[in-house]
């Protein structure tokens, strides 16, 4: 037992080392629960009496009467007791039932402030709404219920610091009205199961973690919550994240995190959103509004080893009223922003997007975003992707003129992205044409299949007669090969045009 200043510190003796079992076992067979109540009360009385400044004002009877509700709240005894902070160190708090006369919560609620230090809890929450509390290095072995607890001032001004929650943590309320939590809750805490916040208004920052602390949150659920303070959760690994019908009225910062399954549904952000260098495996934002800047810079979406549609990043009816940044972001499994609502052109500079699960409209939006800022070179890269997707759509249709043009454009110039390809085709076509001229001059063409020469001559005379009257080509046609000359001139002119277009698109579109 240690007494320092106005703080009372209770150290655990052999009684508190007894292993806890189920509630019924401890209640009936061991009598641990009633014994814990008596021991806890005796410790508090002894420590209050040991305070030198108050020993002449308090007696054991006075304190005992206070805790047995025989003293009024306005009495001097109450004022003295509530002016001191009690520090419980290394205590294991057993399961409790508010129907028991020995429910130790009845004692705790009559104190002014409590510091729980390195304690363990087998109980489902402590409703200490009128007691200033601080939980430090504590372990919560069962499900834990959050209440609007008053804050015992500490360096970081949080309720829970460096605590471990082994089971579900929740803030839900059975009643329809919102739960209001007025103080910051967590600093450097780990959640091994689920942190489920529902129907709650948080007036201050939910997390105040150390800058480089790597938190572990197995599942994080936010349902119909409002965050008036900052929501900052960085360097964290989260298996499943869900935000439903929630509002973030201050900064939302989730930098350098890993989310295996991330869903942001029907929720609104009114201030800056920063997800710098965060890794999202499964990702969807649906029916949500972002009023301020949103940053996904250097993020990773999807799975490197699995590019199925399941891991495609989806923005479904997401509305961005300000600038959104995807600079240097990788979409390993594709991207879908077909139904996105954008007030300003997004930034996809140096972004890598797997085209497998990416639709044509997504590539068109990205292409236009580069065109609007005059970055035509990067716009051309996504123009090619857009055309490829459109060509794939045409495969479902019958053979048409449009389908043939898109096929030729892709094969001969990669939709204007390659100028090497049409030049090589031009050299090949020129070589073939020169070979035909040489074969015609030397007579080798007539030796290929002599029985067909008469028929070929009859057809060539007819088409050559027509070709001679093509005025633009009249003076450049080779005699005896007029029709073939026109065909090759048209092909070579088209290849020259494709080369010029490709060169322009590598400089300015």
């Amino acid at each position: 037992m240690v007494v320092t200043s106005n703080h009372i510190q209770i150290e655990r003796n052999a009684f508190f080392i007894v292993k806890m079992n189920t509630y019924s076992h401890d209640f009936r067979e061991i009598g641990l629960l009633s014994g814990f109540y008596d021991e806890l009360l005796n410790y508090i009385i002894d420590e209050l009496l040991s305070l030198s400044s108050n020993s002449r004002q308090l007696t054991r009877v006075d304190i005992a009467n206070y805790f047995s509700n025989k003293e009024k709240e306005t009495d001097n005894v109450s004022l003295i007791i509530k002016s001191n902070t009690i520090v419980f160190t290394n205590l294991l708090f057993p399961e409790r039932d508010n129907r028991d006369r020995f429910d130790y919560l009845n004692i705790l609620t009559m104190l002014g402030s409590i510091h729980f230090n390195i304690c363990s809890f087998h109980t489902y929450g402590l409703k200490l709404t009128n007691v200033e509390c601080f939980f430090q290095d504590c372990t919560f072995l069962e499900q834990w219920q959050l209440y609007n607890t008053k804050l015992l001032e500490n360096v970081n001004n949080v309720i829970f610091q460096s605590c471990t929650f082994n089971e579900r943590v929740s803030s839900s309320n059975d009643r329809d009205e919102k739960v209001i939590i007025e103080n910051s809750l967590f600093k450097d805490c780990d959640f091994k199961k689920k942190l489920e916040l529902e129907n709650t208004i948080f007036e201050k920052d939910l997390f105040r973690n150390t800058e480089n602390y790597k938190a572990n949150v197995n599942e994080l659920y936010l349902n119909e919550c409002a965050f008036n303070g900052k929501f900052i959760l960085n360097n964290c690994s989260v298996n499943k994240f869900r935000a439903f019908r929630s509002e973030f009225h201050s900064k939302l910062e989730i930098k350098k995190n890993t989310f295996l399954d991330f869903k942001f549904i029907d929720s609104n952000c009114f201030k800056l959103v920063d997800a710098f260098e965060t890794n999202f495996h499964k990702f969807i934002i649906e029916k949500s509004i972002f009023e301020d800047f949103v940053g996904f810079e250097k993020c990773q979406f999807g799975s490197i080893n699995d590019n199925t549609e399941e891991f495609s990043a989806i923005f479904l009816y997401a509305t961005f009223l300000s600038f959104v940044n995807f600079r240097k972001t990788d979409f390993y499994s594709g991207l879908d922003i077909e139904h996105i609502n954008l007030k300003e052109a997004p930034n996809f500079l140096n972004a890598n997007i797997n085209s497998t699960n990416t639709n044509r409209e997504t590539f068109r939006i990205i292409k236009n975003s580069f065109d609007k800022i005059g970055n035509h070179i990067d716009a051309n890269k996504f123009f090619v992707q857009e055309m490829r997707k459109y060509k794939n759509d045409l495969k479902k249709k019958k053979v048409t003129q449009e389908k043939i043009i898109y096929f030729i454009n892709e094969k001969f110039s990669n939709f204007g992205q390659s100028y090497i390809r049409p030049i090589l085709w031009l050299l090949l076509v020129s070589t073939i044409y020169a070979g035909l001229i040489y074969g015609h001059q030397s007579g080798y063409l007539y030796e290929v299949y002599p029985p067909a020469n008469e028929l070929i001559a009859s057809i060539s005379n007819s088409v050559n007669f027509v070709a001679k009257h093509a005025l633009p080509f009249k003076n450049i046609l080779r005699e005896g090969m007029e029709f073939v000359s026109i065909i090759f001139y048209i092909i070579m002119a088209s290849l020259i045009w494709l080369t010029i277009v490709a060169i322009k698109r590598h400089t300015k579109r």
Side-chain angles (χ1 to χ4, degrees), residues 312-353:
S312 176
I314 300 174
F315 293 80
L316 186 61
Y317 304 113
T319 300
F320 295 89
L321 300 178
S322 185
F323 186 69
V324 56
N325 179 25
F326 294 99
R327 185 168 49 223
K328 296 183 180 180
T329 295
D330 296 313
F331 297 90
Y332 294 121
S333 305
L335 172 65
D336 183 357
I337 57 174
E338 181 177 2
H339 298 98
I340 200 172
N341 300 308
L342 296 166
K343 188 175 182 179
E344 298 184 22
N347 183 2
F348 281 91
L349 184 64
N350 294 326
N352 297 312
I353 303 175

Side-chain angles (χ1 to χ4, degrees), residues 297-457:
E297 185 167 348
K298 292 186 178 181
C299 288
Q300 295 179 340
F301 292 85
S303 173
I304 299 177
N305 302 320
D306 191 344
N307 62 353
T308 58
E309 189 175 1
E310 180 184 7
F311 292 92
S312 176
I314 300 174
F315 293 80
L316 186 61
Y317 304 113
T319 300
F320 295 89
L321 300 178
S322 185
F323 186 69
V324 56
N325 179 25
F326 294 99
R327 185 168 49 223
K328 296 183 180 180
T329 295
D330 296 313
F331 297 90
Y332 294 121
S333 305
L335 172 65
D336 183 357
I337 57 174
E338 181 177 2
H339 298 98
I340 200 172
N341 300 308
L342 296 166
K343 188 175 182 179
E344 298 184 22
N347 183 2
F348 281 91
L349 184 64
N350 294 326
N352 297 312
I353 303 175
N354 189 316
S355 62
T356 303
N357 300 308
T358 305
N359 54 54
R360 180 169 65 95
E361 181 63 15
T362 294
F363 285 125
R364 187 195 66 80
I365 293 172
I366 298 174
K367 177 200 69 176
N368 287 347
S369 71
F370 283 113
D371 276 334
K372 286 181 180 179
I373 61 174
N375 187 347
H376 302 299
I377 294 176
D378 283 313
N380 289 329
K381 297 178 182 178
F382 290 98
F383 170 77
V384 173
Q385 299 284 11
E386 179 190 0
M387 292 299 99
R388 285 177 180 170
K389 286 294 178 178
Y390 186 52
K391 186 179 76 69
N392 291 336
D393 294 340
L394 291 175
K395 288 181 179 179
K396 304 173 184 178
K397 301 179 180 179
K398 296 180 180 179
V399 177
T400 60
Q401 176 181 329
E402 184 181 21
K403 191 172 183 179
I404 294 172
I405 291 174
Y406 273 89
F407 175 81
I408 294 174
N409 203 334
E410 180 188 31
K411 296 303 179 182
F412 285 89
S413 70
N414 193 22
F415 296 111
Q417 193 64 17
S418 173
Y419 54 82
I420 301 297
R421 193 179 295 184
I423 290 175
L424 293 176
W425 276 107
L426 183 62
L427 293 175
L428 178 61
V429 171
S430 299
T431 301
I432 295 173
Y433 182 54
L436 290 176
I437 293 176
Y438 177 76
H440 181 263
Q441 287 178 339
S442 61
Y444 288 149
L445 292 178
Y446 300 102
E447 297 177 3
V448 175
Y449 188 65
N453 287 343
E454 185 176 349
L455 177 61
I456 293 174

Side-chain angles (χ1 to χ4, degrees), residues 21 44 51 89 92 98 113 116 170 181 184 191 201 243 246 282 335 343 376 383 419 441 454 489-490:
N21 296 284
I44 294 174
L51 292 176
T89 299
L92 176 59
N98 57 13
S113 55
F116 296 96
S170 64
I181 295 183
S184 295
F191 304 86
I201 299 174
S246 294
K282 295 180 181 178
L335 172 65
K343 188 175 182 179
H376 302 299
F383 170 77
Y419 54 82
Q441 287 178 339
E454 185 176 349
Y489 287 158
I490 292 174

Side-chain angles (χ1 to χ4, degrees), residues 209-215 231-238 251-259 262 272-280 293 295-299:
N209 291 346
T210 305
E211 183 176 355
N212 296 319
Y213 179 75
K214 294 185 178 180
F231 188 103
I232 300 177
L233 184 62
N234 300 326
N235 301 298
C236 184
S237 177
V238 182
K251 182 179 182 181
L252 171 59
E253 184 176 303
I254 47 174
K255 298 191 300 186
K256 299 182 179 180
N257 292 332
T258 297
F259 294 97
F262 183 96
L272 183 144
V273 178
D274 190 358
F276 179 76
E277 286 189 352
T278 290
N279 189 350
F280 301 93
F293 172 84
F296 290 102
E297 185 167 348
K298 292 186 178 181
C299 288

Side-chain angles (χ1 to χ4, degrees), residues 35-251:
F36 180 88
Y37 179 91
D38 295 336
E39 287 291 328
L40 187 65
L41 180 58
N42 287 333
Y43 270 118
I44 294 174
I45 293 175
D46 289 342
E47 295 304 322
L48 286 170
L49 291 173
S50 69
L51 292 176
S52 59
S53 60
N54 295 323
S55 59
R56 289 174 295 177
Q57 303 178 41
L58 292 179
T59 66
R60 179 173 292 273
V61 175
D62 291 335
I63 300 174
N65 286 338
Y66 170 77
F67 284 109
S68 62
N69 292 316
K70 293 182 180 179
E71 295 286 343
K72 297 181 180 179
E73 292 289 320
T74 57
D75 286 350
N76 187 47
V77 175
S78 172
L79 296 176
I80 295 173
I81 291 175
K82 290 191 174 183
S83 65
N84 293 283
T85 298
I86 297 181
V87 181
F88 295 116
T89 299
N90 255 340
L91 286 183
L92 176 59
F93 288 86
E95 189 175 358
R96 45 166 289 274
D97 191 319
N98 57 13
R99 295 170 296 181
D100 295 336
R101 63 164 183 80
F102 47 80
D103 180 9
Y104 58 84
L105 181 61
N106 296 329
I107 301 175
L108 300 181
T109 55
M110 300 182 73
L111 297 174
S113 55
I114 306 173
H115 180 181
F116 296 96
N117 183 41
I118 321 177
C119 293
S120 299
F121 298 88
H122 267 289
T123 183
Y124 181 66
L126 294 174
K127 192 173 183 180
L128 299 170
T129 53
N130 294 317
V131 181
E132 295 180 352
C133 293
F134 176 47
F135 297 82
Q136 184 176 16
D137 296 307
C138 294
T139 302
F140 300 86
L141 304 170
E142 308 295 337
Q143 295 185 27
W144 187 259
Q145 177 76 34
L146 298 173
Y147 297 99
N148 185 28
T149 305
K150 290 185 177 180
L151 175 68
L152 175 61
E153 289 189 9
N154 53 83
V155 174
N156 300 294
N157 283 329
V158 293
I159 302 294
F160 303 93
Q161 177 175 303
S162 301
C163 294
T164 300
F165 299 87
N166 289 348
E167 299 295 334
R168 182 173 70 97
V169 180
S170 64
S171 67
S172 59
N173 194 335
D174 295 335
R175 294 173 293 180
D176 293 334
E177 64 267 20
K178 292 277 188 181
V179 177
I180 300 177
I181 295 183
E182 298 174 333
N183 296 296
S184 295
L185 291 182
F186 306 111
K187 176 180 175 59
D188 299 348
C189 295
D190 287 329
F191 304 86
K192 294 186 176 181
K193 288 294 178 68
K194 180 188 294 186
L195 175 57
E196 187 173 15
L197 308 176
E198 183 176 5
N199 202 30
T200 306
I201 299 174
F202 297 90
E203 296 292 351
K204 295 186 178 180
D205 301 356
L206 179 63
F207 302 99
R208 287 188 175 178
N209 291 346
T210 305
E211 183 176 355
N212 296 319
Y213 179 75
K214 294 185 178 180
N216 182 20
V217 182
N218 186 42
E219 296 182 20
L220 179 54
Y221 280 68
L222 312 175
N223 186 21
E224 296 188 357
C225 291
F227 298 91
N228 295 327
K230 295 179 181 178
F231 188 103
I232 300 177
L233 184 62
N234 300 326
N235 301 298
C236 184
S237 177
V238 182
N239 289 336
K240 185 178 290 186
F241 177 92
R242 296 288 186 272
F244 298 104
R245 296 179 294 278
S246 294
E247 294 182 347
F248 298 83
H249 294 272
S250 189
K251 182 179 182 181

Side-chain angles (χ1 to χ4, degrees), residues 21-28 33 95-97 100 102:
N21 296 284
T22 62
Y23 176 82
S24 60
H25 183 275
D26 292 339
F27 175 70
R28 296 176 183 175
L33 302 181
E95 189 175 358
R96 45 166 289 274
D97 191 319
D100 295 336
F102 47 80

